[in-house]
């Protein structure tokens, strides 16, 4: 335990110097190994072996598969069909395309699993449609960024898949646990849009006819089957989360190439390359973080932290409130997946020792960390929206600020009422 302080401080120092997270993690691990090796402890050569073992995991195959499925859907007309259907469903309500933005993101979240895929895929489409209808660009940017936060919450979720793999919690239960909080966040964002419509001009569309609802619903029906196939297959035991990713890829490819015919064979190479690049970055971080987590356990860090928390005797709700603030701060500097990889092996044993359900804690952690995708300085969604909107970075940040209120309110409600997360997994 005497090496713990320089071990953690080294990571913070390297990240403060601007090194990429995986480099900071790897360098810290090497230094820790060098110290222990010099005193007759762990050999430095152990790092390469453990990194290889970390990636030799069947569940991790689901990550590039879900990324590929989302990119295939974005390449074709699936996002347009979903947006058109959402527009017919709620575009006539006061707040107009603001509600459409949230509903479309909620549907697409059931296919992508990440906030960046939502912002990059639907973001350009939503902001263009809102600009054409005369919506204020600042409002359009803010609601588009905020609605993308639903991406890592409603299943499937790449972050929850990583948490389930690390914490040994059922991925199917995590997916079910994220469903109601995702709906709650969407509802609060729509309520915020409704209130803002009294001071921001938001044109609405005419009330749709039953025929129009049926036609747009029919056009969007097949893409909307994607989340049902993924979650339904995992929950029913037909296939594992990894196999669900493969099924989603096959389904997205059939839709784009054979059914809608808006994805050409020549497009696949570009989609595969983009998916491989994104997957390689994530898997590299996972490989290094896996060894970092293993080293923490070997150094007895989680066990010591658990003992300390029990000794302090904090009530679970107060502990979760402190962790909520901590997660929001961490999310400002690291991606959701990076944060989950680093924090899970440290915190799960500690919070479990205080009586907090690991299933609830996983969903709570992912939701809270997800705020980081729309907060500076490293909010990935903010940087995606800068070229899409043409606004300066600081303008995008200001546009997002009002929508942090419903998102933070969602987190507080989940913290106070854990059954929001636990009821659905408990039923099944």
């Amino acid at each position: 335990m005497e090496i713990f302080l320089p071990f953690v401080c080294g990571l913070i120092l390297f990240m403060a110097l601007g090194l990429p997270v995986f480099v900071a993690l790897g360098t810290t691990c090497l230094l820790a190994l060098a110290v222990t090796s010099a005193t007759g402890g762990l050999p430095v050569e152990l790092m390469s072996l453990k990194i290889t073992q970390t990636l030799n995991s069947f569940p991790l195959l689901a990550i590039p598969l879900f990324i590929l499925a989302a990119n295939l859907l974005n390449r074709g007309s699936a996002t347009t069909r979903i947006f058109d259907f959402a527009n017919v469903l709620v575009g006539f309500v006061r707040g107009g395309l603001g509600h459409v933005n949230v509903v479309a993101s909620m549907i697409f979240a059931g296919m992508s699993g990440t906030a960046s895929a939502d912002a990059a895929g639907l973001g350009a489409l939503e902001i263009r449609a809102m600009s054409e209808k005369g919506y204020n660009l600042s409002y359009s940017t803010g609601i588009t960024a905020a609605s993308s936060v639903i991406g890592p919450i409603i299943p499937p979720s790449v972050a929850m898949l990583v948490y389930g793999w690390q914490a040994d919690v059922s991925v199917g239960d995590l997916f079910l646990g994220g469903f109601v909080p995702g709906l709650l966040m969407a509802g609060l964002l729509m309520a915020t849009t409704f209130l803002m419509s009294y001071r921001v001009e938001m044109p609405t569309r005419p009330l749709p006819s039953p025929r129009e609802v049926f036609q747009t619903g029919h056009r969007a029906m097949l893409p909307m089957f994607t989340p049902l196939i993924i979650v339904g297959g995992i929950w029913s035991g037909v296939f594992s989360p990894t196999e669900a990713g493969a099924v989603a890829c096959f389904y997205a490819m059939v839709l784009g190439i054979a059914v809608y015919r808006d994805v050409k064979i020549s497009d696949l190479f570009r989609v595969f390359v983009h998916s491989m690049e994104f997957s390689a970055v994530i898997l590299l971080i996972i490989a290094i973080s896996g060894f970092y987590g293993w080293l923490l356990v070997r150094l007895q860090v989680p066990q010591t932290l658990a003992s300390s928390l029990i000794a302090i005797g904090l009530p679970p709700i107060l502990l979760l409130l402190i962790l909520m603030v901590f997660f929001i701060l961490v999310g400002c500097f690291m991606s959701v997946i990076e944060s989950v990889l680093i924090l899970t092996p440290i915190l799960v044993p500690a919070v479990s020792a205080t009586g907090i359900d690991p299933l609830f804690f996983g969903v709570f952690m992912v939701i809270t960390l997800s705020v980081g995708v729309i907060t500076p300085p490293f909010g990935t969604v903010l940087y995606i929206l800068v070229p899409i909107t043409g606004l300066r970075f600081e303008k995008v940040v200001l546009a997002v600020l009002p929508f942090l209120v419903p998102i933070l309110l969602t987190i507080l409600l989940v913290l106070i009422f854990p059954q929001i997360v636990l009821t659905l997994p408990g039923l099944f």
Side-chain angles (χ1 to χ4, degrees), residues 123-124 126-128 131 137-142 144-145 381-393 395-397 399:
E126 291 167 336
I127 289 175
R128 183 172 66 249
S131 297
L137 183 57
S138 177
Y139 165 78
S140 303
T141 304
T144 301
V381 168
L382 301 177
Y383 289 103
I384 289 172
L385 291 179
V386 166
I388 290 175
T389 61
L391 295 174
R392 297 198 309 272
F393 180 79
K395 292 287 187 181
V396 174
V397 173

Side-chain angles (χ1 to χ4, degrees), residues 62-64 66-71 74 105 108-122 145 147-162 274 278-279 282 335-337 366 370 373 380-381 384:
I63 294 173
F66 280 131
I67 291 169
L68 176 59
N71 286 336
N74 272 333
S105 291
F108 191 73
M111 308 174 194
S112 64
T114 62
S116 56
D118 183 295
L122 275 173
S147 64
S148 70
V149 176
I150 302 171
I153 301 170
I154 288 184
S157 166
V158 173
M160 288 185 190
L161 194 152
V162 171
H274 180 65
F278 191 39
S279 300
I282 292 177
S335 74
V336 180
I337 294 174
V366 169
S370 296
V373 301
T380 52
V381 168
I384 289 172

Side-chain angles (χ1 to χ4, degrees), residues 21-39:
V21 172
F22 76 93
V23 176
L25 283 169
T27 306
T28 305
C29 289
L30 276 175
L31 290 175
L33 280 177
V35 172
T36 57
S37 179
T39 57

Side-chain angles (χ1 to χ4, degrees), residues 125-190:
L125 174 65
E126 291 167 336
I127 289 175
R128 183 172 66 249
M130 295 176 85
S131 297
E132 289 173 355
K133 296 296 183 181
Y135 279 71
N136 179 280
L137 183 57
S138 177
Y139 165 78
S140 303
T141 304
I143 190 63
T144 301
S147 64
S148 70
V149 176
I150 302 171
I153 301 170
I154 288 184
S157 166
V158 173
M160 288 185 190
L161 194 152
V162 171
Y163 175 86
W165 166 69
Q166 280 205 312
D168 196 23
V169 175
S170 166
V171 173
D173 285 348
L174 286 167
F175 282 1
L176 288 173
F179 191 72
V180 177
L183 293 179
L184 176 62
M185 183 178 292
L188 290 174
L189 285 171
M190 292 175 74

Side-chain angles (χ1 to χ4, degrees), residues 108-427:
F108 191 73
M111 308 174 194
S112 64
T114 62
S116 56
D118 183 295
L122 275 173
L125 174 65
E126 291 167 336
I127 289 175
R128 183 172 66 249
M130 295 176 85
S131 297
E132 289 173 355
K133 296 296 183 181
Y135 279 71
N136 179 280
L137 183 57
S138 177
Y139 165 78
S140 303
T141 304
I143 190 63
T144 301
S147 64
S148 70
V149 176
I150 302 171
I153 301 170
I154 288 184
S157 166
V158 173
M160 288 185 190
L161 194 152
V162 171
Y163 175 86
W165 166 69
Q166 280 205 312
D168 196 23
V169 175
S170 166
V171 173
D173 285 348
L174 286 167
F175 282 1
L176 288 173
F179 191 72
V180 177
L183 293 179
L184 176 62
M185 183 178 292
L188 290 174
L189 285 171
M190 292 175 74
T192 303
T193 286
F194 183 82
L195 294 174
M196 291 181 70
S197 67
Y198 286 95
R199 64 180 184 85
V200 178
E201 186 178 354
M202 300 184 191
T204 58
R205 55 157 292 146
L207 188 69
S209 65
R211 178 183 177 85
E212 190 177 5
V213 174
F214 174 78
Q215 287 178 337
T216 54
H218 183 264
R219 290 185 73 247
M221 181 176 61
L222 292 179
M224 289 196 300
F225 271 135
T226 309
L228 295 178
I229 292 171
I230 294 171
V231 180
I234 294 171
W235 170 74
S236 63
V238 175
F239 40 69
S240 68
T242 302
E243 292 163 343
V247 171
C249 286
F250 177 76
Y251 185 69
M253 202 174 297
V254 169
L255 283 184
I257 296 174
V259 179
Y260 299 140
R261 299 182 181 181
D262 47 24
V263 176
K264 300 176 182 177
I265 299 295
S266 57
D267 294 332
L268 293 180
F269 177 76
R270 190 178 304 166
V271 172
F272 288 153
V273 169
H274 180 65
S275 301
M276 285 190 293
E277 288 174 347
F278 191 39
S279 300
V281 172
I282 292 177
L283 291 173
L284 179 60
I285 295 168
I286 287 175
I288 306 295
S289 300
F291 179 69
Y292 183 84
W294 178 87
L295 202 53
L296 283 173
V297 173
R298 185 64 183 260
L299 295 171
Q300 300 286 307
V301 172
Q303 298 90 324
T304 305
L305 183 59
S307 302
S308 301
L309 287 176
I310 293 172
I312 295 172
L314 288 175
I317 192 167
L318 181 57
L319 175 60
L320 287 172
L321 193 60
I322 294 170
L323 287 174
M324 182 188 82
V325 177
F326 173 69
F327 289 151
I328 291 173
L329 292 174
V330 169
C332 292
F333 298 95
M334 289 193 294
S335 74
V336 180
I337 294 174
E338 290 169 348
S339 304
V340 168
L341 283 164
I342 294 171
L343 297 175
T344 298
I346 301 174
L347 294 178
V348 169
V351 297
S352 298
T354 63
I356 297 172
D357 190 319
L359 169 61
F360 165 78
F361 183 71
V363 176
F364 172 76
M365 179 164 69
V366 169
I367 294 173
T368 312
L369 288 171
S370 296
V371 180
V373 301
I374 57 170
T375 53
F378 297 117
T380 52
V381 168
L382 301 177
Y383 289 103
I384 289 172
L385 291 179
V386 166
I388 290 175
T389 61
L391 295 174
R392 297 198 309 272
F393 180 79
E394 55 270 25
K395 292 287 187 181
V396 174
V397 173
L398 290 174
V400 171
L401 288 180
F403 297 98
L404 287 175
V405 175
I407 293 174
L408 294 176
L409 181 57
T410 303
I411 297 169
L412 283 173
L413 289 173
V414 167
L415 188 155
I416 297 168
F417 305 106
Q419 290 307 312
I420 293 174
V421 171
L422 298 174
T423 298
L424 205 53
L427 288 176

